[in-house]
């Protein structure tokens, strides 16, 4: 895997972005939307996958995970209290199955996004971002990837995950190919990344990989990248990045791959304040396509843009994730233009404009290097 030549996401690509109905979703009506959890915010959802990548169905319900935190205080503070939540979905109805891990089980002060795969032996590999350190006085931004492998329990018609399991750190930035994500001070959009592990099994060779949102020491602070790690005997091994946005974007998030019509589609999300200069491209789902896992990748729609929020509501939704059947899930973020200055707003005003629940589902159409979305 050391022969990977990373794709470059450049200003030349971003200059091709235009507002079209093929990529722009309509305004969500009926705000505030019904909440998945009445007393908790929910964001950054992902399915428990089968090993072919499809969502896992148990007792007639799809199994999902997401981040959750109590729905009080300033919405941006939720990242300092984030826990993984297990959810079941039947159609449009969601069921809360509780926290994925027992209190204090993970190695950090909170749990950030990841992925999960159901194994043939009845366990679930849960890959997630360990943020901070257990027991720290205030949240720091050390990030590394951990795995827990609880058994899936379905006795008496109930769905649960085993609680007493080992949590192992399986991957962290090497400090050379990828910058260390170890800052003490910071916040969303202002820190280096080594997080959001996305599990993927390559149908071409059956091998397992993790895609990780990372930062590379290539140019300046706008150094976002998609890292790749390969499962080998004895652990995970870092490979060169699949994509770099150095000089263009600081914070690529939630990278994942979907194989459709023998083409590898690499998707990721980013927010408008992560671009250089800030706001020079929209918050959205972006994508590249290649004939193989290692590339060469070219941007979808010329620019890479696949889904964007309506300009009147630029922060309406975020954290889009494309499933193998091309459904697209996300969460409702900020209503209207409140997100433009959310850091300067008081808790009450910011919370009044925050969604904190699942957004209406989209459906993607892919045709070679073309992508369009339907509401």
């Amino acid at each position: 895997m050391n022969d990977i030549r990373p794709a470059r996401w450049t200003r030349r690509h971003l200059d091709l972005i235009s507002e079209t109905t093929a990529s722009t979703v309509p305004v969500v009506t009926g705000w505030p939307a019904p909440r998945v959890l009445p007393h908790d915010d929910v964001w950054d959802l992902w399915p428990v996958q089968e090993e072919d990548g499809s969502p896992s169905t148990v007792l007639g319900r799809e199994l999902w995970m997401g981040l959750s935190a109590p729905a009080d205080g300033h919405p941006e503070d939720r990242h300092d209290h984030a826990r993984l939540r297990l959810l079941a979905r039947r159609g449009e109805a969601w069921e809360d199955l509780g926290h994925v891990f027992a209190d204090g089980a993970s190695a950090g002060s909170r749990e950030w996004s990841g992925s999960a795969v159901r194994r043939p032996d009845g366990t679930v590999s849960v890959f997630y971002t360990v943020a901070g350190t257990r027991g720290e006085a205030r949240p720091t931004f050390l990030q590394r990837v951990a795995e827990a492998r609880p058994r899936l329990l379905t006795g008496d018609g109930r769905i649960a995950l085993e609680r007493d399991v080992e949590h192992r750190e399986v991957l962290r930035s090497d400090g050379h190919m990828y910058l260390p994500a170890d800052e003490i001070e910071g916040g969303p959009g202002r820190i280096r990344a080594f997080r959001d592990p996305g599990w993927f099994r390559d149908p071409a060779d059956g091998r397992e990989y993790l895609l990780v949102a990372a930062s590379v020491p290539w140019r300046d602070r706008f150094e976002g990248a998609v890292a790749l790690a390969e499962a080998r005997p004895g652990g995970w091994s870092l490979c060169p990045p699949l994509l770099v946005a150095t000089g263009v974007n600081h914070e690529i998030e939630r990278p994942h791959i979907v194989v459709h019509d023998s083409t590898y589609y690499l998707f990721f999300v980013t927010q408008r304040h992560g671009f250089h200069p800030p706001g020079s491209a929209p918050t959205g789902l972006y994508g590249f396509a290649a004939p193989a896992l290692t590339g060469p990748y070219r941007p979808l729609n010329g620019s890479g843009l696949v889904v964007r929020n309506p300009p009147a509501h630029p922060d309406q939704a975020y954290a889009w994730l494309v499933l193998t059947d091309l459904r697209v899930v996300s969460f409702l973020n900020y209503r209207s233009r409140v997100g433009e200055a959310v850091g300067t707003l008081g808790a009450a005003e910011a919370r009044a404009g925050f969604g904190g629940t699942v957004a209406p589902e989209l459906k993607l159409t892919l045709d070679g290097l073309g992508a369009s979305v339907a509401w």
Side-chain angles (χ1 to χ4, degrees):
M1 286 293 177
N2 290 327
D3 59 348
I4 296 173
R5 298 185 63 182
R8 301 287 191 105
W9 196 29
T10 69
R11 176 55 52 190
R12 176 175 58 86
H13 299 130
L14 297 181
D15 286 344
L16 298 176
I17 290 176
S18 61
E19 183 184 342
T20 68
T21 56
S23 60
T24 305
V25 298
V27 173
V28 173
T29 58
W31 199 287
R35 299 178 66 86
V36 170
L37 301 179
H39 306 295
D40 291 81
D41 295 325
V42 174
W43 70 103
D44 285 19
L45 295 135
W46 63 92
V48 175
Q49 303 171 72
E50 296 293 341
E51 292 204 332
D52 64 359
S54 62
S56 183
T57 300
V58 179
L59 302 180
R61 290 165 284 179
E62 286 184 349
L63 283 189
W64 285 74
M65 293 183 183
L67 299 185
S68 71
D72 53 32
H74 200 294
E76 293 303 286
D77 292 342
R78 72 188 188 276
H79 304 288
D80 294 340
H81 308 281
R83 297 277 303 277
L84 269 62
R85 200 82 169 219
L86 184 64
L87 303 164
R89 179 183 184 182
R90 192 196 303 268
E92 298 301 313
W94 293 85
E95 178 185 354
D96 180 20
L97 301 179
H99 289 128
V100 172
F101 304 134
D103 295 348
S106 57
S109 60
R110 59 259 200 241
E111 302 151 8
W112 287 352
S113 293
S115 55
V117 55
R118 189 179 177 189
R119 302 296 191 178
D121 65 359
T123 63
V124 175
S125 285
V126 182
F127 298 98
Y128 69 100
T129 308
V130 178
T133 57
R134 186 184 299 165
E136 60 188 4
R138 60 189 178 90
T140 62
F141 298 93
L142 173 64
Q143 301 156 56
R144 59 272 194 215
V145 175
E147 179 188 7
R149 196 158 171 172
R151 288 184 299 124
L152 181 64
L153 309 174
T154 57
D156 301 322
R158 296 175 62 251
I159 303 172
L161 291 174
E162 181 184 18
R163 290 296 188 132
D164 185 19
V165 293
E166 178 187 10
H167 291 243
R168 300 183 302 110
E169 181 181 310
V170 296
L171 198 62
R172 67 167 60 200
S173 53
D174 59 1
H176 300 287
M177 190 159 41
Y178 301 104
L179 288 168
D182 58 1
E183 291 149 303
I184 303 300
E185 304 289 342
R190 295 180 286 116
I191 55 174
R192 293 187 294 270
F194 198 82
R195 60 179 181 269
D196 304 351
W199 181 88
F200 175 71
R201 186 184 293 281
D202 188 353
D205 58 19
R207 295 180 179 177
E208 294 185 44
Y209 298 89
L210 289 175
L211 284 77
V212 183
S215 303
V216 293
W218 283 28
R219 182 174 173 180
D220 54 27
R221 89 172 193 88
F222 295 94
E223 56 213 356
V226 175
L228 183 70
E230 182 182 10
R232 296 178 180 171
W236 293 87
S237 179
L238 281 170
C239 306
L242 294 180
L243 178 141
V244 295
T246 183
V248 169
N249 188 282
H250 178 61
E251 191 175 51
I252 286 173
E253 298 187 290
R254 305 200 72 201
H256 56 287
I257 284 179
V258 171
V259 178
H260 178 73
D261 286 345
S262 301
T263 298
Y264 290 68
Y265 288 92
L266 168 63
F267 296 104
F268 55 88
V269 298
T270 189
Q271 302 195 61
R272 54 200 177 99
H273 56 66
F275 286 99
H276 175 61
S280 58
T283 293
L285 171 73
Y286 292 82
F288 281 62
L293 171 63
T294 55
Y297 283 94
R298 293 192 291 167
L300 297 178
N301 299 330
S303 65
L305 180 64
V306 177
V307 176
R308 65 178 295 173
N309 287 317
H313 301 271
D315 303 294
Q316 174 177 273
Y318 190 55
W320 295 271
L321 185 83
V322 183
L323 307 183
T324 53
D325 62 2
L326 304 188
R327 288 181 291 157
V328 185
V329 296
S330 61
F331 79 97
L332 293 177
N333 198 15
Y334 286 102
R335 177 70 165 173
S336 190
R337 307 186 73 85
V338 67
E340 290 188 348
V342 66
T344 66
L345 297 178
E349 186 178 1
R351 181 149 291 282
F354 182 65
T357 193
V358 179
E361 192 173 274
L362 311 174
K363 183 73 174 183
L364 205 60
T365 298
L366 297 174
D367 183 11
L369 293 175
S372 60
V373 66
W375 193 249

